[in-house]
Amino acid sequence: MATTSDHVDLRDDLIRLVTSRLLDPLEILLPQADLADLRDQVRIDAEMWAAQLLGEDGALAKQVAIRLMAVLYPGDTPFDPPDRWWATPLGRVTARRAGHPSKEGVSLGVAGAMLGITRQGVHDLVSRKKLLRHPDGGVTVDSIRARLDQRREL
């Protein structure tokens, strides 16, 4: 169950990301444009996105997470965030609701970042069969998501 603090942190992270990645560059390109209404709309929509990402509807949360990833991190290659990204509010909720945006299996280091534990901790969970090995090495993203859901329920 998400706390009010989780919601506020995620909302603020979304506002920061949309502003810095979309609105600020637009303001640089179009200095005469009045973006005040867009900034207000981002604050309103970030509330809704945070509620959807943290809400009970898992399918909707996954859809919103994927849509945000596609818009906030566009590129010609699949999004492969640095380990520290998984510790951000958006990274934490993305790990839980959508998993890794472009991989079915990740290294022990990335798995640790997604879970917020050490690489050794991941190794121990794999050894105890609490996380599943991916056939290509590392850990399955589905088992990471299941572990995050399990921890969330406790």
Side-chain angles (χ1 to χ4, degrees), residues 21-22 68-77 79:
R21 292 189 169 269
L22 302 174
L68 286 166
M69 294 298 98
V71 171
L72 294 173
Y73 302 99
D76 294 334
T77 59
F79 180 58

Side-chain angles (χ1 to χ4, degrees), residues 74-130:
D76 294 334
T77 59
F79 180 58
D80 193 15
D83 287 356
R84 68 183 177 281
W85 182 82
W86 295 105
T88 68
L90 182 56
R92 288 191 306 268
V93 77
T94 298
R96 190 168 69 84
R97 301 320 285 267
H100 194 288
S102 62
K103 295 181 180 179
E104 291 181 12
V106 295
S107 69
L108 298 182
V110 172
M114 291 174 76
L115 290 163
I117 62 175
T118 65
R119 182 183 166 108
Q120 181 61 46
V122 173
H123 187 271
D124 292 345
L125 290 172
V126 169
S127 296
R128 295 180 7 233
K129 302 206 184 315
K130 303 289 184 178

Side-chain angles (χ1 to χ4, degrees), residues 5-52:
S5 177
D6 293 335
H7 179 92
V8 169
D9 290 347
L10 180 56
R11 179 204 62 206
D12 291 349
D13 195 33
L14 290 168
I15 291 169
R16 180 189 61 76
L17 284 167
V18 171
T19 299
S20 66
R21 292 189 169 269
L22 302 174
L23 297 183
D24 290 349
L26 194 55
E27 191 170 53
I28 291 167
L29 287 174
L30 306 170
Q32 283 77 28
D34 183 6
L35 300 179
D37 289 344
L38 280 177
R39 290 182 189 283
D40 290 341
Q41 191 62 50
V42 166
R43 285 189 286 279
I44 292 165
D45 287 347
E47 276 294 341
M48 177 187 61
W49 297 327
Q52 291 170 334

